[in-house]
Structure formats: structure tokens, C-alpha cells
């Protein structure tokens, strides 16, 4: 499965801009790149076609010794993050080449992958929108409980996938169908219409859809 080109970035927050007709458009500001190409993978050598890109320079002492060698071989400075993007033709890029925000254009439809904001351990009402139990005088301390979770003798266990209380958020999420409203390559910034997964300063991967 091959993907279209993408870039690593950080979600800076949300704001709004005004369209030509005067309407307000809610956008997420993403600092996208620059991302040096650290490795080009091919079917012949690695079994699949992909492009590995890095993001955010860090001091050499902050990366492991194997990674130091990996970055040195590519001729790029050590990076805080690396990601792979499956491409049909990765040979169009060279190791050391820098991918910037101008790989996108206004109007592009993109998908953005990030880690959603963690909400901690939550009950069934907040996590799954359960109605809750009755709140009459005959009900005691069960108002926000999840109710029955299984059956009797058969099947004799809780079925997998049962909606219960638990950890909510802090998981990998991909938001599809977002639109690039504006590209500012001089600032390495993308303005993307709508909400992007994750908190402010969260790491995201923006890919063409």
C-alpha cells in the first residue's frame, strides 16, 4: 500500500482566518518541517518502498549511538523524531534532501495523524455516553454505574469489546478529509481547516489523501 507525500509537524493551536467572502474559517496551525530525508527504502533492498524523514534537530548526545551512525551516514543532523511514509516512487527523493511545507498547496485534502488528548480513567457515562441508572429514591449509589456486563451460565464470561469504564484518549488517531487553507513556506506553517488530533505542541503527521 503506497501513500502520497507527507510531512512531520507540531500542532501550534487553533485560530481563524477570513475568506475572500468575509466568512470566518476555523483553522489549526501546524509547524510543518523542515524534514530531511534520512533514508530511502526500496523493494529490492528492504522489501517495500518508503521514505524515512526526520524532524527537529537535537544535540548528538540526545540520540542513541546506532542512530548517530544512521544520521551521519545520511549526512544530516540528528533528529528528535523520524517517520516512514510509504511511497510508490521513493526514488524521486534523495537522502539529505529537505522536505518542506511547500509539498502542499492550498486546497489539498489531507489526513492528519496524532495522539489524542488523554482524559485519564473515565466512567461509562463520559467515555461511552451511557444514560446511567434511575435516580429515584429506591436506587442507591448506582446512578453512574454501567449496569450488567455479562450473562449467567452461558457464555459464562464477559464478551470481548464490552463497553466499560477505563482509560480514555491518549491513543493514535487519524482525522481524514481535512483541507489545507493556506501554506506559508517561509514560516514552515500549514493552516488546516478544522480540528487536528492532539494537544498543543503535539507531534502530527500530515499526509496527502
Amino acid at each position: 500500500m503506497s501513500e502520497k507525500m507527507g510531512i512531520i509537524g507540531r500542532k501550534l493551536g487553533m485560530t481563524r482566518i477570513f475568506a475572500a467572502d468575509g466568512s470566518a474559517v476555523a483553522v489549526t496551525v501546524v509547524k510543518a518541517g523542515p524534514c530531511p530525508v534520512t533514508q530511502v527504502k526500496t523493494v529490492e533492498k528492504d522489501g517495500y518502498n518508503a521514505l524515512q524523514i526526520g524532524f527537529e534537530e537535537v544535540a548528538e548526545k540526545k540520540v542513541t549511538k546506532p542512530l548517530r551512525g544512521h544520521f551521519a551516514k545520511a549526512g544530516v543532523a540528528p533528529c528528535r523524531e523520524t517517520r516512514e511514509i510509504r511511497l510508490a516512487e521513493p526514488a524521486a527523493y534523495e537522502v539529505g534532501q529537505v522536505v518542506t511545507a511547500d509539498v502542499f498547496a492550498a486546497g489539498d485534502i489531507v489526513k492528519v495523524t496524532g495522539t489524542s488528548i488523554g482524559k485519564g480513567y473515565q466512567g461509562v457515562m463520559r467515555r461511552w455516553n451511557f444514560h446511567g441508572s434511575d435516580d429515584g429514591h429506591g436506587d442507591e449509589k448506582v446512578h453512574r454505574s454501567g449496569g450488567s456486563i455479562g450473562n449467567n451460565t452461558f457464555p459464562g464470561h464477559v464478551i470481548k469489546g464490552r463497553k466499560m469504564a477505563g482509560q480514555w484518549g491518549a491513543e493514535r488517531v487519524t482525522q481524514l478529509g481535512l483541507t489545507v487553507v493556506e501554506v506559508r513556506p517561509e514560516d514552515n506553517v500549514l493552516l488546516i481547516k478544522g480540528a487536528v488530533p492532539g494537544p498543543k505542541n503535539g507531534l502530527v503527521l500530515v499526509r496527502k489523501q
Side-chain angles (χ1 to χ4, degrees):
M1 179 181 177
S2 64
E3 298 276 5
K4 296 181 181 179
M5 193 52 194
I7 198 168
I8 309 170
R10 283 201 183 277
K11 174 181 175 179
L12 299 182
M14 291 194 71
T15 185
R16 64 177 177 173
I17 60 174
F18 294 95
D21 60 0
S23 60
V25 181
V27 295
T28 302
V29 183
V30 175
K31 183 185 184 302
C35 296
V37 176
T38 55
Q39 189 177 0
V40 177
K41 295 192 172 185
T42 60
V43 172
E44 296 76 24
K45 187 176 179 181
D46 305 285
Y48 63 98
N49 290 327
L51 203 65
Q52 186 189 81
I53 57 176
F55 179 63
E56 288 185 348
E57 281 190 25
V58 292
E60 193 174 275
K61 65 181 181 180
K62 291 191 175 182
V63 297
T64 61
K65 198 169 182 179
L67 278 176
R68 284 181 216 166
H70 180 66
F71 291 127
K73 183 179 178 182
V76 302
C79 298
R80 186 182 303 278
E81 303 286 346
T82 58
R83 293 290 185 275
E84 282 189 8
I85 299 171
R86 295 287 186 105
L87 289 178
E89 297 294 335
Y93 294 86
E94 296 179 356
V95 173
Q97 181 178 344
V98 178
V99 180
T100 57
D102 57 11
V103 296
F104 298 95
D108 283 350
I109 304 300
V110 297
K111 54 184 177 181
V112 183
T113 301
T115 301
S116 63
I117 296 173
K119 306 292 187 180
Y121 191 95
Q122 299 296 331
V124 291
M125 291 183 73
R126 186 166 184 219
R127 191 183 185 201
W128 301 111
N129 295 314
F130 275 27
H131 178 273
S133 300
D134 293 336
D135 57 358
H137 289 287
D139 297 283
E140 183 180 359
K141 299 179 182 177
V142 295
H143 307 93
R144 299 183 67 86
S145 68
S148 173
I149 62 170
N151 302 296
N152 198 348
T153 306
F154 181 82
H157 61 87
V158 179
I159 297 171
K160 285 185 178 180
R162 174 69 66 189
K163 292 179 179 178
M164 299 174 68
Q167 172 67 38
W168 184 33
E171 60 186 2
R172 183 183 170 93
V173 175
T174 299
Q175 184 68 46
L176 304 174
L178 299 175
T179 305
V180 176
V181 176
E182 190 177 334
V183 181
R184 299 178 181 175
E186 67 280 1
D187 299 319
N188 297 316
V189 161
L190 297 175
L191 300 183
I192 300 174
K193 182 180 179 181
V196 163
K200 288 181 181 178
N201 295 318
L203 198 73
V204 294
L205 180 63
V206 185
R207 292 167 289 173
K208 292 183 181 180
Q209 200 169 310

